[in-house]
Amino acid sequence: MWSRARWAAGAAAGTLVLDIFWGAGAHGYGGQGAGAPLKGLDRSRTAPIPVVRDGAVLSGTDTRPFRMLGVTWDDPGAHLAATVEVRTRAMGTARWSGWLKLDGDDAHGEETALRGGTAPVWVGPSDGVEVRVGPTPDGSFALPEGLRLDLVDPGPGGPAGSAGPAPLAEPVTASQAAAAPRPAIVSRAGWGADESLSPEAPAYLPGGKVKAVVVHHTAGSNTYTCAEAPAVLRGIHAYHVQQLGWKDIGYNFLVDKCGTLYEGRKGGVDRAVLAAHAYGFNTETSGIAVLGDYTDVTPAGAVLDSVAKLAAWKLGQYGVSPTGTTTLTAGAAGRNHAGATWAKGAKLSFPTIHGHRDGYNTECPGERLYAQLPTIRARAAAFAAGTSAGTSRGGAVPAPEGNALALPRT
């Protein structure tokens, strides 16, 4: 249950320590109205985070089990200029984890979004949580209204909790074949997607062509096992839909740390499905997200191979070179991680395989994964050419090509 609590150590971190009370609302978690989950209550619970002056601390113990969490706020267009950290208590051992920093902005540009939020983080089976919110290292502190902690239980998979083998997505017909063969992709049914969460029909890129692939990481934690990856996907799906108000999971495809590929947003893996992964550039791109945080961890060679194979196949469907560049039209004014800015409608040149940070002010896909984009491009080109040169059974390897992003064309 949520309770009145004080976490005294917060003062040492420069976060104001508060006594906070959470009244039991519907289903015993959070409250009514804005504090309640957006769609359904069976797999998510919420609790508001009161904020006074320069920080907030929320502590909940003896909660119903959860395995994923995130922090959300009222305005999907607002940004969180603060440091958000969480720690959780493991079920069974009652052992508290270390503090984990949340990625402060998961705004990928879904038009139906009803809330903004951090990226969700997988924490494993847990029954207690603490979250602290304080200034960033440079002293910035600006919080959006309606800050709220959201706990997610991904469930056993499917609307009825059905279990079974992991089927592959539909095979491609001869007329749909690309230069590179299609890799094995676990279907939504295979990872247990609850289709009742996403009843709306899929949408497709207005131009009917994928011009670039955007590489992401989901951030958060790398502690999941590969057997848990389907549950991680179900958690992300539930968070995107139930908490942020999106129509479906945001990414077109996902990859676990063992290299298994998964179908993301519905609509057909062989089609140009419109997703919500790259703000301002969703209408011309396809997004591939690697499960985990690759800021300080180098992705395994199997991950690089899988991303490369998928990118080679997807771009090859539309005659796009994986080592080339393409011009994308900005659907919104923006700024990227390197500080480049542009206006809505600007024409920008991107590598056909690039990182999320190239088109948005985010650290995604993490330093270590971003550094391997040249390797991914080289391997994708080899796959497209029908060779295995550049593939590796080991870890990541360096490649000479850079990740340069051209400034907007005038």
Side-chain angles (χ1 to χ4, degrees), residues 22-373:
W22 303 271
H27 294 257
Y29 291 83
Q32 306 287 347
L38 294 168
K39 298 180 182 179
L41 288 163
D42 57 326
R43 294 189 179 179
S44 58
R45 8 250 187 235
T46 66
I49 303 177
V51 178
V52 178
R53 291 185 294 174
D54 65 343
V57 176
L58 179 148
S59 177
T61 57
D62 300 321
T63 72
R64 287 190 293 174
F66 63 94
R67 287 185 279 174
M68 180 170 280
L69 59 79
V71 170
T72 65
W73 48 87
D74 290 346
D75 183 359
H79 296 278
L80 178 70
T83 298
V84 181
E85 296 175 298
V86 297
R87 66 174 187 166
T88 56
R89 191 180 64 186
M91 289 182 61
T93 67
R95 183 174 301 167
W96 285 91
S97 70
W99 287 101
L100 178 66
K101 181 181 177 182
L102 301 187
D103 187 335
D105 190 354
D106 203 30
H108 297 147
E110 180 75 275
E111 291 184 359
T112 63
L114 298 178
R115 291 182 68 80
T118 67
V121 59
W122 177 263
V123 294
S126 304
D127 60 7
V129 59
E130 290 185 343
V131 55
R132 61 185 184 186
V133 182
T136 62
D138 65 5
S140 300
F141 192 78
L143 300 180
E145 296 292 330
L147 210 61
R148 190 181 79 188
L149 174 66
D150 293 276
L151 308 179
V152 177
D153 172 15
S162 58
L168 301 180
E170 301 81 3
V172 178
T173 64
S175 63
Q176 297 167 330
R182 200 197 82 172
I185 303 170
V186 177
S187 70
R188 288 167 65 92
W191 55 264
D194 184 349
E195 299 297 357
S196 69
L197 295 179
S198 303
E200 294 182 53
Y204 297 92
L205 304 190
K209 176 180 180 180
V210 173
K211 299 176 67 175
V213 163
V214 184
V215 178
H216 304 259
H217 70 171
T218 58
S221 171
N222 300 317
T223 61
Y224 70 92
T225 67
C226 293
E228 290 175 318
V232 177
L233 266 69
R234 293 195 300 273
I236 295 173
H237 183 206
Y239 181 80
H240 282 175
V241 175
Q242 292 179 293
Q243 307 309 325
L244 300 184
W246 298 3
K247 65 188 293 184
D248 198 352
I249 193 169
Y251 308 107
N252 295 95
F253 302 94
L254 299 99
V255 188
D256 69 25
K257 63 184 179 182
C258 293
T260 302
L261 292 167
Y262 301 88
E263 178 183 11
R265 181 160 292 207
K266 70 179 180 181
V269 296
D270 58 313
R271 300 187 64 184
V273 177
L274 177 65
H277 63 96
Y279 180 71
F281 302 101
N282 286 319
T283 59
E284 298 178 295
T285 62
S286 185
I288 304 174
V290 182
L291 299 180
D293 188 327
Y294 295 93
T295 301
D296 300 311
V297 175
T298 300
V303 170
L304 303 184
D305 278 353
S306 293
V307 174
K309 288 176 181 178
L310 180 56
W313 170 70
K314 197 64 192 173
L315 293 173
Q317 286 185 295
Y318 306 95
V320 178
S321 168
T323 57
T325 59
T326 189
T327 299
L328 303 180
T329 301
R335 176 187 181 92
N336 70 7
H337 188 64
T341 59
W342 53 84
K344 180 178 180 180
K347 307 291 184 180
L348 294 95
S349 180
F350 289 88
T352 54
I353 300 176
H354 62 271
H356 187 196
R357 64 170 59 183
D358 290 325
Y360 192 72
N361 189 17
T362 175
E363 295 181 3
C364 181
E367 289 293 337
R368 297 291 185 88
L369 179 52
Y370 187 76
Q372 293 303 318
L373 291 184

